[in-house]
mmCIF file of all heavy atoms in Angstrom:
data_model
loop_
_atom_site.group_PDB
_atom_site.id
_atom_site.type_symbol
_atom_site.label_atom_id
_atom_site.label_comp_id
_atom_site.label_asym_id
_atom_site.label_seq_id
_atom_site.Cartn_x
_atom_site.Cartn_y
_atom_site.Cartn_z
ATOM 1 N N PRO A 4 -5.744 -4.969 18.738
ATOM 2 C CA PRO A 4 -6.600 -4.368 19.758
ATOM 3 C C PRO A 4 -8.058 -4.670 19.453
ATOM 4 O O PRO A 4 -8.771 -3.921 18.805
ATOM 5 C CB PRO A 4 -6.285 -2.873 19.643
ATOM 6 C CG PRO A 4 -5.797 -2.700 18.248
ATOM 7 C CD PRO A 4 -5.108 -3.988 17.883
ATOM 8 N N LEU A 5 -8.543 -5.806 19.967
ATOM 9 C CA LEU A 5 -9.876 -6.279 19.598
ATOM 10 C C LEU A 5 -10.976 -5.365 20.099
ATOM 11 O O LEU A 5 -12.038 -5.256 19.484
ATOM 12 C CB LEU A 5 -10.082 -7.690 20.157
ATOM 13 C CG LEU A 5 -9.148 -8.762 19.569
ATOM 14 C CD1 LEU A 5 -9.455 -10.114 20.195
ATOM 15 C CD2 LEU A 5 -9.306 -8.828 18.065
ATOM 16 N N PHE A 6 -10.740 -4.698 21.231
ATOM 17 C CA PHE A 6 -11.766 -3.791 21.726
ATOM 18 C C PHE A 6 -12.007 -2.662 20.746
ATOM 19 O O PHE A 6 -13.152 -2.236 20.543
ATOM 20 C CB PHE A 6 -11.354 -3.221 23.097
ATOM 21 C CG PHE A 6 -10.132 -2.346 23.063
ATOM 22 C CD1 PHE A 6 -10.228 -0.983 22.828
ATOM 23 C CD2 PHE A 6 -8.877 -2.911 23.246
ATOM 24 C CE1 PHE A 6 -9.091 -0.200 22.791
ATOM 25 C CE2 PHE A 6 -7.746 -2.115 23.206
ATOM 26 C CZ PHE A 6 -7.857 -0.764 22.972
ATOM 27 N N ALA A 7 -10.943 -2.173 20.085
ATOM 28 C CA ALA A 7 -11.117 -1.099 19.111
ATOM 29 C C ALA A 7 -11.860 -1.605 17.891
ATOM 30 O O ALA A 7 -12.729 -0.921 17.342
ATOM 31 C CB ALA A 7 -9.753 -0.542 18.698
ATOM 32 N N LEU A 8 -11.530 -2.826 17.471
ATOM 33 C CA LEU A 8 -12.212 -3.395 16.317
ATOM 34 C C LEU A 8 -13.682 -3.600 16.610
ATOM 35 O O LEU A 8 -14.538 -3.327 15.773
ATOM 36 C CB LEU A 8 -11.562 -4.731 15.952
ATOM 37 C CG LEU A 8 -12.207 -5.524 14.799
ATOM 38 C CD1 LEU A 8 -12.268 -4.660 13.542
ATOM 39 C CD2 LEU A 8 -11.454 -6.803 14.559
ATOM 40 N N ALA A 9 -14.005 -4.052 17.823
ATOM 41 C CA ALA A 9 -15.407 -4.245 18.171
ATOM 42 C C ALA A 9 -16.165 -2.933 18.127
ATOM 43 O O ALA A 9 -17.314 -2.867 17.679
ATOM 44 C CB ALA A 9 -15.505 -4.875 19.567
ATOM 45 N N GLY A 10 -15.505 -1.848 18.577
ATOM 46 C CA GLY A 10 -16.154 -0.543 18.524
ATOM 47 C C GLY A 10 -16.410 -0.097 17.111
ATOM 48 O O GLY A 10 -17.450 0.482 16.804
ATOM 49 N N LEU A 11 -15.456 -0.364 16.233
ATOM 50 C CA LEU A 11 -15.643 0.017 14.834
ATOM 51 C C LEU A 11 -16.789 -0.745 14.206
ATOM 52 O O LEU A 11 -17.624 -0.184 13.509
ATOM 53 C CB LEU A 11 -14.356 -0.274 14.054
ATOM 54 C CG LEU A 11 -13.198 0.692 14.296
ATOM 55 C CD1 LEU A 11 -11.942 0.122 13.645
ATOM 56 C CD2 LEU A 11 -13.504 2.062 13.751
ATOM 57 N N LEU A 12 -16.865 -2.031 14.468
ATOM 58 C CA LEU A 12 -17.917 -2.833 13.863
ATOM 59 C C LEU A 12 -19.281 -2.470 14.412
ATOM 60 O O LEU A 12 -20.287 -2.548 13.718
ATOM 61 C CB LEU A 12 -17.630 -4.325 14.099
ATOM 62 C CG LEU A 12 -16.362 -4.859 13.430
ATOM 63 C CD1 LEU A 12 -16.166 -6.327 13.780
ATOM 64 C CD2 LEU A 12 -16.430 -4.671 11.923
ATOM 65 N N ALA A 13 -19.326 -2.037 15.671
ATOM 66 C CA ALA A 13 -20.606 -1.667 16.266
ATOM 67 C C ALA A 13 -21.195 -0.437 15.623
ATOM 68 O O ALA A 13 -22.402 -0.204 15.680
ATOM 69 C CB ALA A 13 -20.420 -1.440 17.773
ATOM 70 N N CYS A 14 -20.338 0.378 14.990
ATOM 71 C CA CYS A 14 -20.800 1.612 14.356
ATOM 72 C C CYS A 14 -21.401 1.360 12.990
ATOM 73 O O CYS A 14 -21.965 2.263 12.381
ATOM 74 C CB CYS A 14 -19.636 2.613 14.223
ATOM 75 S SG CYS A 14 -19.005 3.159 15.810
ATOM 76 N N VAL A 15 -21.259 0.153 12.449
ATOM 77 C CA VAL A 15 -21.777 -0.157 11.130
ATOM 78 C C VAL A 15 -23.199 -0.665 11.266
ATOM 79 O O VAL A 15 -23.457 -1.628 11.988
ATOM 80 C CB VAL A 15 -20.906 -1.223 10.440
ATOM 81 C CG1 VAL A 15 -21.457 -1.560 9.066
ATOM 82 C CG2 VAL A 15 -19.473 -0.723 10.328
ATOM 83 N N SER A 16 -24.129 -0.021 10.596
ATOM 84 C CA SER A 16 -25.516 -0.436 10.677
ATOM 85 C C SER A 16 -25.717 -1.747 9.963
ATOM 86 O O SER A 16 -24.957 -2.111 9.069
ATOM 87 C CB SER A 16 -26.411 0.627 10.029
ATOM 88 O OG SER A 16 -26.186 0.673 8.634
ATOM 89 N N PRO A 17 -26.759 -2.541 10.335
ATOM 90 C CA PRO A 17 -27.000 -3.807 9.641
ATOM 91 C C PRO A 17 -27.209 -3.625 8.156
ATOM 92 O O PRO A 17 -26.739 -4.421 7.350
ATOM 93 C CB PRO A 17 -28.278 -4.321 10.332
ATOM 94 C CG PRO A 17 -28.263 -3.677 11.692
ATOM 95 C CD PRO A 17 -27.644 -2.337 11.482
ATOM 96 N N ALA A 18 -27.871 -2.539 7.753
ATOM 97 C CA ALA A 18 -28.097 -2.311 6.327
ATOM 98 C C ALA A 18 -26.792 -2.070 5.604
ATOM 99 O O ALA A 18 -26.545 -2.599 4.516
ATOM 100 C CB ALA A 18 -29.032 -1.123 6.128
ATOM 101 N N ALA A 19 -25.916 -1.261 6.226
ATOM 102 C CA ALA A 19 -24.617 -0.985 5.592
ATOM 103 C C ALA A 19 -23.799 -2.253 5.481
ATOM 104 O O ALA A 19 -23.100 -2.486 4.501
ATOM 105 C CB ALA A 19 -23.863 0.078 6.394
ATOM 106 N N ALA A 20 -23.850 -3.089 6.520
ATOM 107 C CA ALA A 20 -23.072 -4.327 6.494
ATOM 108 C C ALA A 20 -23.535 -5.238 5.372
ATOM 109 O O ALA A 20 -22.739 -5.940 4.758
ATOM 110 C CB ALA A 20 -23.191 -5.041 7.840
ATOM 111 N N GLN A 21 -24.850 -5.241 5.088
ATOM 112 C CA GLN A 21 -25.352 -6.083 4.023
ATOM 113 C C GLN A 21 -24.923 -5.576 2.662
ATOM 114 O O GLN A 21 -24.773 -6.343 1.716
ATOM 115 C CB GLN A 21 -26.884 -6.138 4.100
ATOM 116 C CG GLN A 21 -27.390 -6.895 5.330
ATOM 117 C CD GLN A 21 -28.897 -6.800 5.455
ATOM 118 O OE1 GLN A 21 -29.557 -6.195 4.620
ATOM 119 N NE2 GLN A 21 -29.436 -7.392 6.508
ATOM 120 N N ASP A 22 -24.725 -4.246 2.538
ATOM 121 C CA ASP A 22 -24.375 -3.656 1.260
ATOM 122 C C ASP A 22 -22.898 -3.808 0.942
ATOM 123 O O ASP A 22 -22.488 -3.592 -0.193
ATOM 124 C CB ASP A 22 -24.741 -2.170 1.237
ATOM 125 C CG ASP A 22 -26.245 -1.958 1.238
ATOM 126 O OD1 ASP A 22 -26.974 -2.891 0.847
ATOM 127 O OD2 ASP A 22 -26.671 -0.867 1.645
ATOM 128 N N ARG A 23 -22.090 -4.112 1.926
ATOM 129 C CA ARG A 23 -20.648 -4.130 1.737
ATOM 130 C C ARG A 23 -20.099 -5.536 1.817
ATOM 131 O O ARG A 23 -20.461 -6.318 2.696
ATOM 132 C CB ARG A 23 -19.962 -3.267 2.796
ATOM 133 C CG ARG A 23 -20.183 -1.779 2.598
ATOM 134 C CD ARG A 23 -19.261 -0.983 3.477
ATOM 135 N NE ARG A 23 -19.276 0.427 3.119
ATOM 136 C CZ ARG A 23 -18.340 1.290 3.490
ATOM 137 N NH1 ARG A 23 -17.336 0.899 4.233
ATOM 138 N NH2 ARG A 23 -18.412 2.554 3.128
ATOM 139 N N ARG A 24 -19.218 -5.839 0.873
ATOM 140 C CA ARG A 24 -18.496 -7.100 0.932
ATOM 141 C C ARG A 24 -17.600 -7.075 2.164
ATOM 142 O O ARG A 24 -16.848 -6.125 2.380
ATOM 143 C CB ARG A 24 -17.665 -7.239 -0.332
ATOM 144 C CG ARG A 24 -16.602 -8.340 -0.311
ATOM 145 C CD ARG A 24 -15.827 -8.287 -1.619
ATOM 146 N NE ARG A 24 -14.608 -9.056 -1.580
ATOM 147 C CZ ARG A 24 -13.725 -9.066 -2.560
ATOM 148 N NH1 ARG A 24 -13.932 -8.329 -3.639
ATOM 149 N NH2 ARG A 24 -12.625 -9.785 -2.481
ATOM 150 N N PRO A 25 -17.656 -8.084 3.016
ATOM 151 C CA PRO A 25 -16.838 -8.070 4.231
ATOM 152 C C PRO A 25 -15.356 -8.181 3.923
ATOM 153 O O PRO A 25 -14.959 -8.809 2.942
ATOM 154 C CB PRO A 25 -17.339 -9.289 5.004
ATOM 155 C CG PRO A 25 -17.902 -10.190 3.960
ATOM 156 C CD PRO A 25 -18.476 -9.285 2.904
ATOM 157 N N SER A 26 -14.560 -7.556 4.757
ATOM 158 C CA SER A 26 -13.109 -7.624 4.598
ATOM 159 C C SER A 26 -12.581 -8.900 5.229
ATOM 160 O O SER A 26 -12.934 -9.234 6.356
ATOM 161 C CB SER A 26 -12.458 -6.413 5.264
ATOM 162 O OG SER A 26 -11.073 -6.605 5.414
ATOM 163 N N HIS A 27 -11.746 -9.614 4.504
ATOM 164 C CA HIS A 27 -11.113 -10.790 5.095
ATOM 165 C C HIS A 27 -9.806 -10.421 5.786
ATOM 166 O O HIS A 27 -9.166 -11.270 6.406
ATOM 167 C CB HIS A 27 -10.865 -11.877 4.036
ATOM 168 C CG HIS A 27 -9.787 -11.556 3.055
ATOM 169 N ND1 HIS A 27 -10.042 -11.008 1.820
ATOM 170 C CD2 HIS A 27 -8.436 -11.691 3.124
ATOM 171 C CE1 HIS A 27 -8.900 -10.839 1.170
ATOM 172 N NE2 HIS A 27 -7.927 -11.230 1.937
ATOM 173 N N CYS A 28 -9.398 -9.147 5.670
ATOM 174 C CA CYS A 28 -8.137 -8.707 6.269
ATOM 175 C C CYS A 28 -8.330 -8.198 7.696
ATOM 176 O O CYS A 28 -7.386 -8.171 8.476
ATOM 177 C CB CYS A 28 -7.509 -7.601 5.424
ATOM 178 S SG CYS A 28 -7.144 -8.113 3.739
ATOM 179 N N ILE A 29 -9.537 -7.747 8.022
ATOM 180 C CA ILE A 29 -9.790 -7.257 9.379
ATOM 181 C C ILE A 29 -10.116 -8.465 10.249
ATOM 182 O O ILE A 29 -11.256 -8.803 10.494
ATOM 183 C CB ILE A 29 -10.923 -6.226 9.405
ATOM 184 C CG1 ILE A 29 -10.620 -5.082 8.447
ATOM 185 C CG2 ILE A 29 -11.111 -5.691 10.812
ATOM 186 C CD1 ILE A 29 -11.711 -4.037 8.379
ATOM 187 N N ALA A 30 -9.107 -9.140 10.669
ATOM 188 C CA ALA A 30 -9.246 -10.340 11.485
ATOM 189 C C ALA A 30 -7.895 -10.649 12.087
ATOM 190 O O ALA A 30 -6.878 -10.103 11.667
ATOM 191 C CB ALA A 30 -9.734 -11.517 10.643
ATOM 192 N N LEU A 31 -7.881 -11.511 13.079
ATOM 193 C CA LEU A 31 -6.600 -11.938 13.632
ATOM 194 C C LEU A 31 -5.830 -12.711 12.578
ATOM 195 O O LEU A 31 -6.367 -13.593 11.914
ATOM 196 C CB LEU A 31 -6.815 -12.843 14.848
ATOM 197 C CG LEU A 31 -7.269 -12.150 16.130
ATOM 198 C CD1 LEU A 31 -7.533 -13.192 17.194
ATOM 199 C CD2 LEU A 31 -6.212 -11.178 16.606
ATOM 200 N N ALA A 32 -4.572 -12.348 12.389
ATOM 201 C CA ALA A 32 -3.734 -13.058 11.419
ATOM 202 C C ALA A 32 -3.412 -14.444 11.955
ATOM 203 O O ALA A 32 -3.085 -14.614 13.122
ATOM 204 C CB ALA A 32 -2.450 -12.275 11.177
ATOM 205 N N GLU A 33 -3.515 -15.423 11.105
ATOM 206 C CA GLU A 33 -3.145 -16.787 11.465
ATOM 207 C C GLU A 33 -1.891 -17.171 10.691
ATOM 208 O O GLU A 33 -1.648 -16.691 9.593
ATOM 209 C CB GLU A 33 -4.281 -17.752 11.134
ATOM 210 C CG GLU A 33 -5.558 -17.478 11.924
ATOM 211 C CD GLU A 33 -6.658 -18.449 11.569
ATOM 212 O OE1 GLU A 33 -6.434 -19.273 10.652
ATOM 213 O OE2 GLU A 33 -7.722 -18.383 12.187
ATOM 214 N N ALA A 34 -1.099 -18.020 11.289
ATOM 215 C CA ALA A 34 0.141 -18.442 10.634
ATOM 216 C C ALA A 34 -0.193 -19.148 9.323
ATOM 217 O O ALA A 34 -0.992 -20.078 9.303
ATOM 218 C CB ALA A 34 0.931 -19.375 11.556
ATOM 219 N N THR A 35 0.398 -18.687 8.252
ATOM 220 C CA THR A 35 0.198 -19.288 6.936
ATOM 221 C C THR A 35 1.524 -19.837 6.437
ATOM 222 O O THR A 35 2.466 -19.071 6.234
ATOM 223 C CB THR A 35 -0.328 -18.251 5.935
ATOM 224 O OG1 THR A 35 -1.536 -17.691 6.438
ATOM 225 C CG2 THR A 35 -0.576 -18.880 4.575
ATOM 226 N N PRO A 36 1.638 -21.143 6.255
ATOM 227 C CA PRO A 36 2.901 -21.674 5.733
ATOM 228 C C PRO A 36 3.230 -21.028 4.399
ATOM 229 O O PRO A 36 2.357 -20.847 3.555
ATOM 230 C CB PRO A 36 2.611 -23.169 5.568
ATOM 231 C CG PRO A 36 1.463 -23.441 6.493
ATOM 232 C CD PRO A 36 0.641 -22.180 6.480
ATOM 233 N N GLY A 37 4.470 -20.653 4.231
ATOM 234 C CA GLY A 37 4.848 -19.995 2.989
ATOM 235 C C GLY A 37 6.207 -20.443 2.515
ATOM 236 O O GLY A 37 6.894 -21.215 3.170
ATOM 237 N N MET A 38 6.584 -19.938 1.368
ATOM 238 C CA MET A 38 7.875 -20.262 0.786
ATOM 239 C C MET A 38 8.722 -19.007 0.752
ATOM 240 O O MET A 38 8.212 -17.916 0.467
ATOM 241 C CB MET A 38 7.682 -20.831 -0.624
ATOM 242 C CG MET A 38 6.791 -22.070 -0.659
ATOM 243 S SD MET A 38 6.565 -22.739 -2.313
ATOM 244 C CE MET A 38 8.210 -23.353 -2.643
ATOM 245 N N ALA A 39 9.989 -19.141 1.078
ATOM 246 C CA ALA A 39 10.848 -17.987 1.295
ATOM 247 C C ALA A 39 11.457 -17.471 0.000
ATOM 248 O O ALA A 39 12.668 -17.374 -0.146
ATOM 249 C CB ALA A 39 11.953 -18.338 2.296
ATOM 250 N N TYR A 40 10.594 -17.163 -0.981
ATOM 251 C CA TYR A 40 11.102 -16.522 -2.182
ATOM 252 C C TYR A 40 9.963 -15.782 -2.861
ATOM 253 O O TYR A 40 8.802 -16.007 -2.587
ATOM 254 C CB TYR A 40 11.716 -17.530 -3.150
ATOM 255 C CG TYR A 40 10.723 -18.495 -3.760
ATOM 256 C CD1 TYR A 40 10.024 -18.161 -4.925
ATOM 257 C CD2 TYR A 40 10.479 -19.727 -3.171
ATOM 258 C CE1 TYR A 40 9.113 -19.046 -5.484
ATOM 259 C CE2 TYR A 40 9.561 -20.605 -3.734
ATOM 260 C CZ TYR A 40 8.889 -20.260 -4.881
ATOM 261 O OH TYR A 40 7.988 -21.130 -5.416
ATOM 262 N N VAL A 41 10.322 -14.861 -3.745
ATOM 263 C CA VAL A 41 9.339 -14.180 -4.567
ATOM 264 C C VAL A 41 9.718 -14.408 -6.023
ATOM 265 O O VAL A 41 10.867 -14.672 -6.344
ATOM 266 C CB VAL A 41 9.277 -12.669 -4.275
ATOM 267 C CG1 VAL A 41 8.779 -12.409 -2.871
ATOM 268 C CG2 VAL A 41 10.635 -12.017 -4.481
ATOM 269 N N GLN A 42 8.715 -14.315 -6.889
ATOM 270 C CA GLN A 42 8.938 -14.621 -8.293
ATOM 271 C C GLN A 42 9.225 -13.351 -9.080
ATOM 272 O O GLN A 42 8.550 -12.347 -8.915
ATOM 273 C CB GLN A 42 7.700 -15.307 -8.866
ATOM 274 C CG GLN A 42 7.306 -16.585 -8.146
ATOM 275 C CD GLN A 42 6.001 -17.135 -8.671
ATOM 276 O OE1 GLN A 42 5.755 -17.128 -9.862
ATOM 277 N NE2 GLN A 42 5.155 -17.603 -7.780
ATOM 278 N N LYS A 43 10.224 -13.400 -9.943
ATOM 279 C CA LYS A 43 10.502 -12.287 -10.833
ATOM 280 C C LYS A 43 9.392 -12.173 -11.870
ATOM 281 O O LYS A 43 8.778 -13.153 -12.255
ATOM 282 C CB LYS A 43 11.849 -12.490 -11.536
ATOM 283 C CG LYS A 43 13.038 -12.548 -10.593
ATOM 284 C CD LYS A 43 14.323 -12.741 -11.369
ATOM 285 C CE LYS A 43 15.516 -12.805 -10.427
ATOM 286 N NZ LYS A 43 16.789 -12.991 -11.162
ATOM 287 N N ALA A 44 9.142 -10.954 -12.313
ATOM 288 C CA ALA A 44 8.081 -10.758 -13.299
ATOM 289 C C ALA A 44 8.292 -9.444 -14.010
ATOM 290 O O ALA A 44 8.874 -8.508 -13.481
ATOM 291 C CB ALA A 44 6.717 -10.760 -12.617
ATOM 292 N N SER A 45 7.806 -9.368 -15.256
ATOM 293 C CA SER A 45 7.718 -8.121 -15.997
ATOM 294 C C SER A 45 6.290 -7.635 -15.911
ATOM 295 O O SER A 45 5.354 -8.436 -15.918
ATOM 296 C CB SER A 45 8.114 -8.345 -17.455
ATOM 297 O OG SER A 45 7.761 -7.222 -18.243
ATOM 298 N N TRP A 46 6.095 -6.325 -15.849
ATOM 299 C CA TRP A 46 4.750 -5.800 -15.633
ATOM 300 C C TRP A 46 3.804 -6.166 -16.775
ATOM 301 O O TRP A 46 2.594 -6.237 -16.583
ATOM 302 C CB TRP A 46 4.790 -4.279 -15.455
ATOM 303 C CG TRP A 46 4.914 -3.506 -16.741
ATOM 304 C CD1 TRP A 46 6.061 -3.102 -17.342
ATOM 305 C CD2 TRP A 46 3.843 -3.073 -17.568
ATOM 306 N NE1 TRP A 46 5.771 -2.439 -18.505
ATOM 307 C CE2 TRP A 46 4.418 -2.396 -18.667
ATOM 308 C CE3 TRP A 46 2.453 -3.174 -17.508
ATOM 309 C CZ2 TRP A 46 3.657 -1.837 -19.683
ATOM 310 C CZ3 TRP A 46 1.697 -2.612 -18.521
ATOM 311 C CH2 TRP A 46 2.294 -1.954 -19.600
ATOM 312 N N GLY A 47 4.325 -6.466 -17.963
ATOM 313 C CA GLY A 47 3.480 -6.787 -19.100
ATOM 314 C C GLY A 47 3.145 -8.253 -19.246
ATOM 315 O O GLY A 47 2.331 -8.620 -20.098
ATOM 316 N N ASP A 48 3.745 -9.122 -18.429
ATOM 317 C CA ASP A 48 3.459 -10.554 -18.523
ATOM 318 C C ASP A 48 2.072 -10.872 -17.965
ATOM 319 O O ASP A 48 1.561 -10.145 -17.111
ATOM 320 C CB ASP A 48 4.499 -11.351 -17.730
ATOM 321 C CG ASP A 48 5.886 -11.265 -18.333
ATOM 322 O OD1 ASP A 48 5.991 -10.950 -19.533
ATOM 323 O OD2 ASP A 48 6.860 -11.505 -17.591
ATOM 324 N N PRO A 49 1.458 -11.967 -18.399
ATOM 325 C CA PRO A 49 0.223 -12.421 -17.751
ATOM 326 C C PRO A 49 0.488 -12.724 -16.277
ATOM 327 O O PRO A 49 1.569 -13.203 -15.918
ATOM 328 C CB PRO A 49 -0.139 -13.697 -18.524
ATOM 329 C CG PRO A 49 0.567 -13.572 -19.836
ATOM 330 C CD PRO A 49 1.833 -12.822 -19.547
ATOM 331 N N VAL A 50 -0.481 -12.429 -15.439
ATOM 332 C CA VAL A 50 -0.331 -12.681 -14.009
ATOM 333 C C VAL A 50 -0.696 -14.128 -13.718
ATOM 334 O O VAL A 50 -1.709 -14.642 -14.208
ATOM 335 C CB VAL A 50 -1.221 -11.731 -13.192
ATOM 336 C CG1 VAL A 50 -1.088 -12.009 -11.698
ATOM 337 C CG2 VAL A 50 -0.852 -10.279 -13.490
#
Side-chain angles (χ1 to χ4, degrees):
L5 296 180
F6 65 89
L8 177 56
L11 286 170
L12 296 178
C14 296
V15 179
S16 68
Q21 291 174 1
D22 291 338
R23 289 192 169 197
R24 167 183 166 186
S26 166
H27 71 264
C28 300
I29 305 178
L31 286 176
E33 297 180 356
T35 303
M38 302 180 69
Y40 67 87
V41 295
Q42 302 174 41
K43 298 180 180 180
S45 167
W46 79 269
D48 293 339
V50 179

